[in-house]
């Protein structure tokens, strides 16, 4: 049977991060030439991240010696770099603010931003004074609040639906459909921000857990499961609801993770995905604010922006993130 540690998760996370980057590049650059990148499937990429989390967080919890050890590992992975991007944005973006240095740092909004964002409550203070037209500094961070909720939800889910529970699979499937009811209800009311909170996004997380719990069976039948997943997505498209697509995304992501063995060593130089994800949004907005996409060839600037994002992601990993792990 296939070794669970031999996988392509490093490749998948980098791929998903760049899908998100391209989508935000098309939206935030305000360049007609780059508008084509708006079609990059950001939402599917984010939900793919959630499916990966369902698998890896469940595995992390089961392999941990205690709840304390598990939480320490999870928090060290996400919190230090998250706080770094919050504080760097609050300080460095003063350089592109329309406020003077004194006006900027005497404005209470700076400290509201630091306080609420440090608590993962980005929606309470998403902007900084005079920065990006007082628009959201880092719209990508909303997923980190969900990720933290997953970290605390997994021990509870294990307690209720762990490996010793013979009704584990059916219980998680019921929870999956309850999550979908929540998701589809609020989407039908056009309350998208509510739909994407934890009860709704749990439908993308649970498939990863289910596949982890039934890993050997999944590997044995992965080809036929993959084909079924591709076929059933048309049902969701026809009915215009989310019923099978969250499960399908999980299946496709896990299929890629345990196929194409030549991608197994993709992350041997480090895990740069998190840095790329949390820093790309304000970097794109800074390029746009400075008029770089407008004053120069937008495709060249898009490439330069991408290289800057990669460089920041690599630096974040080597000089900061891995010190906490």
């Amino acid at each position: 049977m296939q070794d669970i540690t031999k996988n392509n998760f490093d490749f998948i996370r980098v791929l998903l991060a760049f899908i998100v980057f391209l989508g935000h590049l098309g939206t935030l650059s305000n360049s007609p030439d780059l508008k084509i990148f708006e079609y990059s499937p950001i939402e599917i990429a984010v939900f793919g991240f959630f499916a990966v989390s369902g698998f890896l967080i469940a595995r992390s919890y089961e392999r941990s010696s205690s709840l304390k050890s598990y939480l320490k590992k999870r928090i060290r992975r996400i919190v230090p770099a998250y706080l770094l991007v919050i504080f760097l944005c609050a300080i460095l973006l003063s350089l592109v603010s329309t406020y003077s240095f004194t006006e900027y740092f005497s404005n209470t909004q700076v400290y509201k931003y630091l306080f609420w964002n440090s608590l993962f409550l980005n929606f309470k203070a998403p902007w900084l004074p005079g920065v990006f037209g007082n628009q959201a500094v880092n719209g990508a961070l909303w997923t980190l609040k969900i990720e933290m909720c997953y970290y605390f939800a997994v021990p509870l889910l294990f307690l209720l639906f762990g490996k010793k529970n013979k009704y584990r699979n059916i219980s998680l499937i019921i929870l999956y459909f309850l999550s979908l009811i929540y998701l589809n209800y609020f989407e039908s009311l056009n309350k998208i921000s509510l739909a994407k909170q934890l009860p709704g996004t749990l439908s993308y997380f649970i498939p990863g857990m289910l596949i982890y719990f039934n890993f050997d069976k999944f590997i044995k039948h992965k080809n036929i499961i993959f084909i079924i997943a591709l076929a059933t997505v048309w049902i969701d498209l026809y009915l215009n609801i989310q019923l099978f697509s969250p499960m399908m995304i999980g299946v496709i992501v896990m299929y890629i993770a345990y196929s194409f063995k030549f991608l197994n060593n993709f992350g041997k130089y480090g895990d740069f995905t998190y840095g790329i994800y949390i820093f790309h949004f304000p970097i794109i907005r800074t390029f746009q604010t400075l008029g770089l996409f407008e004053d120069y060839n937008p495709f060249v600037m898009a490439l330069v922006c991408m290289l800057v994002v990669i460089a920041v992601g690599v630096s974040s990993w080597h000089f900061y993130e891995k010190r906490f792990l």
Side-chain angles (χ1 to χ4, degrees):
M1 196 57 68
Q2 186 161 345
D3 183 356
I4 198 170
T5 63
K6 300 292 185 181
N7 55 63
N8 303 323
F9 284 123
D10 291 319
F11 166 77
I12 289 171
R13 286 184 294 207
V14 169
L15 175 63
L16 297 178
F18 273 101
I19 290 173
V20 174
F21 167 78
L22 288 175
H24 284 150
L25 182 67
T27 304
L28 302 175
S29 65
N30 288 344
S31 169
D33 295 301
L34 301 178
K35 205 169 182 63
I36 188 173
F37 293 124
E38 287 186 359
Y39 296 102
S40 181
I42 292 178
E43 192 170 81
I44 292 176
V46 169
F47 294 150
F49 274 123
F50 290 159
V52 170
S53 291
F55 187 95
L56 294 180
I57 296 174
R59 180 171 166 234
S60 175
Y61 179 71
E62 188 171 62
R63 293 174 62 196
S64 297
S65 57
S66 65
L67 177 61
K68 181 180 178 181
S69 171
Y70 159 77
L71 289 175
K72 185 182 291 186
K73 285 187 293 184
R74 294 296 90 208
I75 289 172
R76 282 181 172 179
R77 183 65 192 98
I78 196 172
V79 173
Y82 175 85
L83 293 178
L84 177 67
V85 73
I86 297 298
F87 282 88
L88 284 181
C89 282
I91 296 169
L92 296 180
L93 291 180
S94 64
L95 300 174
V96 296
S97 174
T98 55
Y99 286 40
S100 69
F101 186 84
T102 303
E103 289 173 331
Y104 179 86
F105 284 103
S106 62
N107 193 301
T108 58
Q109 180 61 26
V110 173
Y111 307 100
K112 288 180 181 178
Y113 173 85
L114 285 168
F115 177 76
W116 289 113
N117 282 268
S118 296
L119 297 177
F120 289 85
L121 299 177
N122 319 95
F123 63 93
K124 296 285 286 184
W127 57 278
L128 286 166
V131 175
F132 307 147
N134 288 351
Q135 295 179 315
V137 169
N138 200 339
L141 296 186
W142 72 271
T143 61
L144 277 301
K145 173 175 84 278
I146 303 297
E147 192 77 2
M148 284 295 290
C149 289
Y150 288 153
Y151 287 172
F152 291 104
V154 161
L156 179 60
L157 291 174
F158 259 78
L159 181 66
L160 296 174
F161 313 128
K163 286 198 169 185
K164 293 181 181 179
N165 186 337
K166 63 180 180 179
Y167 302 111
R168 175 192 63 214
N169 290 338
I170 190 64
S171 299
L172 283 172
I173 290 170
I174 291 171
L175 188 60
Y176 169 81
F177 283 108
L178 289 174
S179 172
L180 286 178
I181 291 171
Y182 174 96
L183 178 66
N184 284 293
Y185 173 72
F186 282 106
E187 285 199 342
S188 70
L189 298 178
N190 203 32
K191 295 183 177 180
I192 306 302
S193 60
L194 274 175
K196 291 181 179 178
Q197 297 310 308
L198 181 63
T201 58
L202 204 57
S203 59
Y204 293 92
F205 184 82
I206 286 174
M209 284 193 73
L210 276 169
I211 292 172
Y212 173 73
F213 281 137
N214 300 276
F215 180 73
D216 290 343
K217 291 180 181 177
F218 173 78
I219 293 300
K220 183 178 180 180
H221 304 290
K222 68 175 183 177
N223 292 328
I224 187 65
I225 293 172
F226 177 71
I227 293 170
I228 292 171
L230 291 179
T232 53
V233 71
W234 295 105
I235 297 174
D236 281 23
L237 293 173
Y238 178 76
L239 297 176
N240 196 30
I241 62 171
Q242 297 189 67
L243 185 62
F244 298 108
S245 53
M247 187 70 73
M248 186 210 72
I249 288 174
V251 167
I252 291 175
V253 167
M254 295 307 152
Y255 177 84
I256 296 171
Y258 287 97
S259 305
F260 317 113
K261 291 182 179 180
F262 64 92
L263 296 172
N264 281 181
N265 295 319
F266 195 83
K268 64 181 179 180
Y269 298 111
D271 183 2
F272 316 132
T273 308
Y274 187 41
I276 289 170
Y277 183 82
I278 63 175
F279 281 102
H280 80 275
F281 199 99
I283 291 174
I284 295 172
R285 282 224 142 134
T286 299
F287 269 62
Q288 189 276 324
T289 298
L290 295 175
L292 299 180
F293 296 116
E294 184 179 357
D295 296 340
Y296 302 95
N297 184 302
F299 294 105
V300 172
M301 284 300 104
L303 178 61
V304 172
C305 184
M306 182 182 71
L307 293 175
V308 170
V309 168
I310 292 172
V312 171
V314 171
S315 299
S316 176
W317 168 257
H318 282 294
F319 299 119
Y320 188 75
E321 293 173 54
K322 73 178 184 179
R323 295 174 183 271
F324 294 92
L325 302 180

